[in-house]
Amino acid sequence: MSATRYTYLGPEGTFTEAALRTLPEAATRELVPMVSVPAALDAVRGGEAAAALVPIENSVEGGVTTTVDELAKGTPLMIYREVVLPIAFALLVRPGTKLKDIKTVTGHPVAQPQVRNWLGEHLPDALWESAASNADGARLVQEGRFDAAFAGAFAAATYALEALVTEIHDAANAETRFVLVGRPGRPAAPTGADKTSVVIWLGDDHPGALLELLQEFAVRGVNLMRIESRPTGQGIGNYCFSVDAEGHITDRRVGEALMGLKRICPKVRFLGSYPRAGVAVADLRPLRPGTSDEEFLAASDWLTQCQDGRF
């Protein structure tokens, strides 16, 4: 395995590359762009790279389904950290292109909902066609296949383009969350401001099946930050659930919730416990009474005393 190589969703000039370069270790790694999220993750699975940075969630469009699905299937991988990057688009064009000249535009599918209103107001007749990434859209504009691309303004120099319009976003404060994924290993040490990700499969479809899953978290005071259903590919109505929960697997409330899920579900895939991006311990809400590690330990000691006749 190349311990110094990180892959990312390319080509050069993507928001993913910009997010990756915010990591301190990126300065000492070989950063290799890949044509797709599956290609970036497969390089890790195959030992060609130590880790991959890929987008997983957008504050406007929701989950990046390609990443969510790739982490749920195939050889297991694990998330070791996350990066949250503010997102604003620029309209990149070949030098000399005016707004009135633009008939075709491109960008990543996740970008379209974030610029739809702007597009409808300023380029209502332009034809949209999706690209593999925003930077790939910029490359296609450079090659003359489209008139304009929505991408990061920083991609303009890479593809000899101009940013005709900058700071384009329908929703203020839009963000995309990226995850650094490697092969399974020991999770990072808890920081007190952590997140745990899992994929959960239902045993069978019956009334209250989802509620039973949620109760494993709720009764232990574990807050869910994201839950998303995804088809398993085994027929209509067969779903798994991708879940992000507050806390670390070494927190007793989180560990017991995962054990509860393992008891009642045919399959649970642990995707990692890792520090939350941009969140400090002081920013967190107090734990609900009865859900701290100390209270779990006290309850366990009490049970032992009862079993020993020492109550």
Side-chain angles (χ1 to χ4, degrees):
M1 177 189 296
S2 175
T4 61
R5 182 177 298 144
Y6 282 5
T7 57
Y8 65 91
L9 175 61
E12 294 181 29
T14 58
F15 285 108
T16 310
E17 181 187 10
L20 178 55
R21 291 189 181 278
T22 67
L23 299 180
E25 63 266 36
T28 59
R29 302 294 191 271
E30 178 189 2
L31 308 184
V32 182
M34 305 298 284
V35 298
S36 65
V37 167
L41 296 178
D42 283 345
V44 178
R45 288 186 170 111
E48 300 164 31
L53 194 83
V54 291
I56 194 169
E57 183 182 8
N58 178 266
S59 61
V60 175
E61 185 66 0
V64 179
T65 56
T66 301
T67 302
V68 173
D69 291 346
E70 280 295 312
L71 292 177
K73 66 183 183 183
T75 304
L77 294 169
M78 207 163 98
I79 299 170
Y80 287 92
R81 64 189 305 173
E82 66 177 9
V83 177
V84 176
L85 190 73
I87 301 295
F89 293 92
L91 188 68
L92 304 188
V93 299
R94 293 181 295 277
T97 301
K98 307 298 183 186
L99 203 61
K100 62 182 177 60
D101 302 325
I102 298 174
K103 307 301 180 187
T104 57
V105 295
T106 187
H108 191 275
V110 175
Q112 188 180 21
Q114 301 180 66
V115 300
R116 185 183 293 121
N117 293 338
W118 188 96
L119 198 58
E121 180 180 352
H122 298 279
L123 293 170
D125 299 321
L127 177 66
W128 171 283
E129 186 173 328
S130 293
S133 68
N134 296 310
D136 191 54
R139 179 185 62 81
L140 295 174
V141 172
Q142 181 189 41
E143 294 176 356
R145 295 173 59 180
F146 293 91
D147 297 324
F150 288 99
F154 47 80
T158 302
Y159 297 97
L161 301 176
E162 293 180 348
L164 185 61
V165 185
T166 60
E167 294 299 317
I168 300 172
H169 45 68
D170 291 349
N173 304 316
E175 296 176 319
T176 294
R177 176 176 160 243
F178 303 83
V179 288
L180 187 68
V181 179
R183 298 174 79 175
R186 184 177 294 275
T191 66
D194 303 291
K195 180 182 294 184
T196 293
S197 297
V198 293
V199 184
I200 308 163
W201 281 258
L202 288 176
D204 60 85
D205 185 17
H206 62 269
L210 178 57
L211 178 61
E212 291 171 4
L213 303 186
L214 298 179
Q215 284 177 330
E216 295 295 332
F217 294 104
V219 297
R220 296 174 177 88
V222 178
N223 184 46
L224 297 188
M225 307 177 70
R226 181 184 65 88
I227 180 167
E228 182 174 353
S229 63
R230 296 297 303 155
T232 63
Q234 299 176 355
I236 297 294
N238 286 290
Y239 291 89
C240 60
F241 295 88
S242 178
V243 174
D244 293 335
E246 284 185 340
H248 194 278
I249 192 172
T250 59
D251 295 334
R252 287 179 176 265
R253 64 187 184 282
V254 177
E256 288 202 10
L258 297 185
M259 286 192 294
L261 291 169
K262 185 63 177 175
R263 288 196 304 270
I264 65 174
C265 299
K267 184 178 179 182
V268 179
R269 174 171 285 195
F270 174 63
L271 293 181
S273 291
Y274 47 93
R276 292 174 59 183
V279 177
V281 175
D283 300 328
L284 302 179
R285 296 183 303 272
L287 293 177
R288 282 174 45 196
T291 64
S292 69
D293 278 5
E294 293 76 15
E295 288 162 315
F296 270 94
L297 182 59
S300 178
D301 288 344
W302 173 81
L303 182 62
T304 300
Q305 291 171 13
C306 292
Q307 293 170 338
D308 291 343
R310 295 184 287 113
F311 54 90

